[in-house]
Amino acid sequence: MRSLRALTATLAVLVLVTGACAAEDDELTPINLQLQWVAQAQFAGYYAAVDQGFYADEGLDVTILEGAVEIVPQQVVATGGAEFGLAWVPKALVSNEEDAGLVNVGQVFQRSGTLMVSWADSGITSPSDWEGKIVGNWGFGNEYELTAAIEKFGVNVGELVAQSFDMEALLNREIDAAEAMIYNEYAQVLEATNPDTGELYQPSDLTVIDFNDPSIATAMLQDAIWVTEAYAEDNPDIVEAFLRASFRGWIHCRDNPDSCVDIVLAAGPTLGRSHQTWQMNEINGLIWPSPHGIGVMDAALWQQTVDVATSQGVIQGVPPAGSYRTDFAQNAVDALEDDGLDTVGNSWQRVTVELNPGGE
């Protein structure tokens, strides 16, 4: 009888120990991701990775930190406020010249989203046509693609003026050309009502200069995933896990854009549904296709970004070779492809999005 009691007690202890080990195995590693701005489709892949459980599947408990005007994501990462942060390449390189010690581990955006937008009746169809015109820009490091194009084409603009982070100056015809992101401010014009027709403005009412155009080629790489060099060295498995889940989130948003619009609206409904749908469509256009696999750096585009950055005095010298790494992203891509996922997206195509007044 005593032996049966002893066996029962032993089994109970084993069950408790096994349960404790399982609980430990199930514990998730807490991770902070710092965004550049508030919740919107620009960051849909990360929100989808949380919503769909992709981070949890990789053993990560990811908290997404929204951005604001006063928040500089790369500095948040450099000072330990977040393990991962999103930032444009030239801005992070400036921080690195100030000893931030950051490394780009995932170049998610494969092309720039910056445009210069004018009215069709302005006659502006190329950078040369800015001659003598009033040209707006946001400053704060957002203007370098524009100023590089002005220099490249030898243009003497009439005036280079500070522009608010909206399109009011263009809508009021106070400026001849306005800076705009293809996924945001460009849509703001198309969400506005033309007083002459009573209908929304149409793309035919506008002309667009895209810095990705090979004839211009002053585009700079934008949204990328950054960590500190020390964190990458000490936590390679976590970096790869984070990238696998994030890339899976972006693949989900490529293949299920309406679902991702819902996810973003639930996370932060500061922009209307039609605006977010437009943004999701155009963000996908900045990612897909990813010729080397999502997040894997295109060395030629890195070099173009560095060339523009140095020519404009954004950075003082060529960044060291370790400023970006492709091994983490490549390993993540290989793993996703082993799971049968398309990491290149050659078949993706834009859809037509109907904008509503004010983006609602």
Side-chain angles (χ1 to χ4, degrees):
M1 198 68 175
R2 280 195 301 269
S3 120
L4 180 57
R5 287 197 191 97
L7 178 60
T8 302
T10 300
L11 288 173
V13 170
L14 286 172
V15 168
L16 288 171
V17 169
T18 302
C21 291
E24 287 180 8
D25 289 342
D26 289 340
E27 287 181 2
L28 303 180
T29 301
I31 294 292
N32 286 333
L33 168 64
Q34 179 63 62
L35 304 184
Q36 297 148 289
W37 195 236
V38 297
Q40 57 183 21
Q42 179 182 358
F43 314 115
Y46 310 104
Y47 283 104
V50 172
D51 181 83
Q52 298 295 301
F54 300 149
Y55 288 128
D57 290 345
E58 296 285 355
L60 305 177
D61 178 15
V62 173
T63 298
I64 297 178
L65 307 176
E66 293 190 69
V69 173
E70 69 278 7
I71 292 175
V72 181
Q74 64 270 24
Q75 292 298 338
V76 173
V77 173
T79 55
E83 290 77 13
F84 295 84
L86 306 180
W88 288 16
V89 168
K91 295 181 181 183
L93 293 181
V94 169
S95 294
N96 270 357
E97 288 196 331
E98 299 167 353
D99 298 322
L102 303 170
V103 58
N104 179 332
V105 293
Q107 185 57 55
V108 176
F109 281 19
Q110 297 287 308
R111 46 203 65 87
S112 168
T114 310
L115 307 173
M116 294 303 296
V117 180
S118 302
W119 296 111
D121 59 16
S122 69
I124 297 174
T125 59
S126 77
S128 299
D129 298 323
W130 294 328
E131 187 77 26
K133 298 293 196 298
I134 301 175
V135 178
N137 73 95
W138 295 318
F140 301 103
N142 298 290
E143 74 275 19
Y144 299 121
E145 292 165 303
L146 166 64
T147 53
I150 289 172
E151 184 176 295
K152 181 174 181 177
F153 284 79
V155 180
N156 292 309
V157 300
E159 190 176 0
L160 199 60
V161 300
Q163 173 189 331
S164 299
F165 284 91
D166 57 38
M167 300 300 279
E168 289 303 312
L170 183 72
L171 288 166
N172 295 330
R173 294 187 176 259
E174 297 166 6
I175 58 178
D176 299 302
E179 188 171 9
M181 302 308 293
I182 193 170
Y183 52 81
N184 197 359
E185 290 80 15
Y186 179 52
Q188 289 177 17
V189 180
L190 301 176
E191 294 161 358
T193 300
N194 182 343
D196 294 334
T197 66
E199 304 291 334
L200 295 185
Y201 286 109
Q202 298 299 309
S204 58
D205 295 318
L206 304 167
T207 58
V208 170
I209 292 175
D210 185 341
F211 296 111
N212 296 295
D213 186 327
S215 68
I216 303 173
T218 62
M220 304 172 83
L221 289 169
Q222 298 182 347
D223 292 29
I225 300 171
W226 300 83
V227 299
T228 63
E229 295 173 7
Y231 188 85
E233 289 296 328
D234 294 342
N235 302 278
D237 292 343
I238 292 178
V239 173
E240 286 189 22
F242 180 85
L243 293 181
R244 280 194 301 271
S246 298
F247 296 168
R248 193 181 291 269
W250 282 116
I251 291 169
H252 178 79
C253 289
R254 178 193 69 203
D255 299 339
N256 304 275
D258 291 341
S259 166
C260 283
V261 169
D262 289 338
I263 291 169
V264 170
L265 286 171
T270 55
L271 297 170
R273 177 172 292 276
S274 74
H275 189 96
Q276 293 283 22
T277 302
W278 173 283
Q279 188 168 121
M280 186 73 261
N281 192 40
E282 295 302 333
I283 291 296
N284 272 326
L286 299 182
I287 300 172
W288 312 106
S290 292
H292 305 291
I294 181 172
V296 178
M297 179 68 74
D298 183 317
L301 293 177
W302 173 271
Q303 188 59 53
Q304 178 173 300
T305 300
V306 169
D307 289 345
V308 172
T310 52
S311 75
Q312 296 302 298
V314 181
I315 53 177
Q316 301 308 305
V318 175
S323 299
Y324 75 86
R325 293 179 59 170
T326 60
D327 53 336
F328 295 122
Q330 188 62 64
N331 290 341
V333 163
D334 291 345
L336 295 175
E337 289 180 347
D338 286 344
D339 288 342
L341 295 177
D342 172 15
T343 66
V344 175
N346 277 331
S347 63
W348 178 84
Q349 293 185 359
R350 275 183 178 80
V351 298
T352 300
V353 175
E354 182 177 349
L355 288 166
N356 296 323
E360 294 302 320

